[in-house]
């Protein structure tokens, strides 16, 4: 086949090498080198730095060791991510100025909406606002927000929260039921002193922080590297109203824990899972919505099936409906 007749090389990234490139790279690793002619159909190997000219035979190419290649590619990826985050921050700063300029009635005041980029900047901004707070902080913390890898972040949050409590402020936090016995969460409340309370629900909304009914913070992307600062009174009122409704539905966790009773051998968590099962959700959806891993969700489903005497997924839905366990308020 001539060069003109050869199919064009498909575009792809290093994380998904084309089949021809994968085979040739493996052959180069096994044999130590390949010819330039052999790479004509796989320019990706040179583009991604997986092959390099041989010092003693310029017409041949040697494979770059996989560990070295991986390190280079990861470093390139990290640099690209850092550049993108800097670009996001510059965009946010640029358009914040436009928002202010387009709102004459709020000239000289903070923008009603501001995009924050980068976890450090988000934490710093929230810390600055909380340092001025004197009344109340409302927070919704889904999943494992308080159970992260860096203890310094949690220590700083504890100091920030305790300072507010020392000024006479109040803190109210909503978690999912799956965090009622999380050691890191419990340790947090063992250390805080003041008017601080926590409650839990089967499901909560995404993360929310409302400070003194004047500023609110919500995630602006899925990995929480961006956040939206909200200062519009109507939106703040909406967030507070939503929080209050969830708070009245929630089960107290701290300072005095209240435990929901088991009904006919069915635990409150299994009732929550049963409700999602009859709606047709998958195991993965159920785990995500209730803040647990898929394996734990499947263990609960198996226990629920055993309690109700179900032998199949279809029969389980029927038995859940007939059992009446979802008719009970909880």
């Amino acid at each position: 086949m001539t060069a003109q007749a050869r199919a064009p090389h498909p575009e792809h990234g290093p994380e998904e090498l084309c089949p021809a490139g994968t085979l040739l790279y493996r052959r180069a690793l096994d044999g130590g080198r390949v010819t330039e002619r052999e790479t004509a159909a796989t320019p990706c190997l040179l583009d991604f730095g997986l092959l390099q000219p041989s010092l003693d035979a310029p017409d041949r190419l040697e494979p770059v060791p996989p560990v070295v290649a991986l390190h280079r590619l990861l470093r390139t990826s990290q640099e690209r991510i850092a550049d993108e985050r800097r670009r996001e921050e510059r965009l946010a700063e640029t358009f914040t100025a436009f928002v202010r300029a387009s709102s004459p009635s709020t000239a000289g005041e903070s923008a009603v909406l501001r995009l924050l980029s980068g976890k450090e900047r988000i934490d710093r901004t929230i810390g600055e606002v909380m340092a001025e707070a004197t009344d109340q902080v409302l927070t919704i913390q889904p999943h494992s927000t308080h159970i992260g890898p860096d203890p310094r972040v949690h220590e700083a949050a504890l100091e920030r929260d305790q300072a507010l409590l020392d000024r006479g402020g109040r803190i109210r936090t909503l978690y999912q039921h799956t965090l009622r016995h999380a050691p890191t969460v419990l340790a947090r409340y063992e250390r805080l002193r003041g008017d601080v309370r926590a409650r839990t629900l089967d499901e909560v909304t995404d993360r929310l922080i409302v400070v003194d009914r004047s500023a609110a913070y919500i995630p602006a992307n899925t990995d929480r590297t961006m956040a939206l600062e909200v200062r519009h009174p109507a939106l703040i009122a909406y967030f507070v109203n939503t929080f209050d409704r969830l708070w009245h539905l929630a089960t107290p966790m701290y300072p005095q824990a209240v435990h929901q009773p088991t009904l006919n051998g069915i635990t409150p968590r299994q009732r929550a899972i049963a409700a999602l099962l009859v709606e047709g959700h998958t195991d993965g959806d159920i785990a995500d919505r209730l803040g647990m891993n898929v394996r734990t969700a499947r263990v609960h489903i198996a226990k629920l099936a055993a309690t109700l005497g179900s032998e199949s997924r279809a029969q389980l839905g029927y038995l859940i409906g007939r059992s009446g366990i979802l008719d009970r308020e909880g």
Side-chain angles (χ1 to χ4, degrees):
M1 181 181 289
T2 64
Q4 289 76 12
R6 184 183 294 117
H9 184 265
E11 292 187 5
H12 61 80
E15 72 281 358
E16 47 181 1
L17 282 178
C18 61
T22 299
L23 290 173
L24 186 58
Y25 184 51
R26 285 177 177 168
R27 183 144 53 86
L29 290 171
D30 293 338
R33 60 180 62 182
V34 293
T35 65
E36 287 187 352
R37 182 177 181 181
E38 291 177 285
T39 65
T42 55
C44 56
L45 297 181
L46 290 170
D47 294 341
F48 299 145
L50 301 182
L51 295 176
Q52 61 187 7
S54 174
L55 294 177
D56 58 353
D59 62 329
R60 295 182 179 274
L61 300 171
E62 297 177 344
V64 174
V67 173
V68 175
L70 176 61
H71 177 73
R72 290 176 180 172
L73 291 169
L74 287 175
R75 185 174 58 192
T76 301
S77 176
Q78 291 166 355
E79 291 172 352
R80 184 168 60 251
I81 291 171
D83 289 342
E84 187 62 24
R85 286 181 176 172
R86 285 191 289 269
R87 177 176 176 273
E88 291 171 352
E89 189 164 339
R90 290 196 300 271
L91 279 171
E93 291 174 353
T94 298
F95 281 85
T96 294
F98 291 150
V99 170
R100 289 174 177 171
S102 64
S103 305
S105 62
T106 60
E109 299 180 3
S110 298
V112 295
L113 297 176
R114 182 166 61 136
L115 189 64
L116 306 175
S117 178
K119 291 185 178 181
E120 289 186 6
R121 186 184 182 200
I122 294 168
D123 290 340
R124 184 175 66 250
T125 301
I126 294 175
E128 291 170 353
V129 172
M130 282 197 61
E132 302 295 326
T134 57
D135 181 23
Q136 178 175 258
V137 171
L138 308 176
T139 68
I140 296 177
Q141 303 286 11
H143 303 311
S144 55
T145 305
H146 284 321
I147 311 177
D150 190 349
R152 294 173 300 177
V153 174
H154 305 309
E155 193 66 29
L158 276 170
E159 293 177 0
R160 181 184 69 194
D161 292 351
Q162 187 60 59
L164 170 64
L165 296 170
D166 291 343
R167 294 194 298 271
R170 298 173 295 167
I171 297 177
R172 301 290 183 265
T173 303
L174 282 168
Y175 299 99
Q176 288 174 282
H177 286 327
T178 46
L179 292 180
R180 287 182 72 87
H181 305 293
T184 309
V185 174
L186 295 177
R188 163 183 168 81
Y189 291 98
E190 289 175 358
R191 295 180 57 182
L192 290 175
R193 297 291 180 268
D195 190 355
V196 55
R197 299 178 183 275
R199 295 185 177 185
T200 63
L201 286 164
D202 285 317
E203 298 182 63
V204 294
T205 65
D206 209 337
R207 192 183 188 202
L208 169 69
I209 300 175
V210 181
V211 182
D212 274 0
R213 295 177 181 255
S214 61
Y217 300 87
I218 59 175
N221 61 356
T222 54
D223 62 1
R224 296 179 180 171
T225 57
M226 300 181 69
L228 189 66
E229 181 185 70
V230 180
R231 290 183 176 271
H232 194 288
L235 292 174
I236 297 290
Y238 177 82
F239 292 146
V240 171
N241 184 54
T242 299
F243 182 94
D244 287 343
R245 289 175 180 268
L246 293 174
W247 183 261
H248 289 299
L249 294 171
T251 302
M253 182 187 99
Y254 182 87
Q256 184 175 1
V258 174
H259 302 284
Q260 292 177 296
T262 297
L263 176 65
N264 297 329
I266 307 296
T267 67
R269 188 170 300 176
Q270 288 167 1
R271 288 204 299 273
I273 289 175
L276 295 174
L277 280 173
V278 298
E279 291 177 6
H281 293 284
T282 65
D283 295 353
D285 291 337
I286 292 171
D288 183 63
R289 291 181 61 162
L290 299 183
M292 62 182 71
N293 60 49
V294 175
R295 180 180 300 178
T296 301
R298 287 172 177 162
V299 169
H300 283 297
I301 293 171
K303 290 180 179 178
L304 180 64
T307 301
L308 296 179
S310 172
E311 298 179 355
S312 69
R313 187 77 169 228
Q315 186 186 26
L316 179 57
Y318 168 75
L319 292 176
I320 289 171
R322 195 180 71 172
S323 70
I325 61 174
L326 301 182
D327 298 335
R328 179 185 177 93
E329 291 186 0

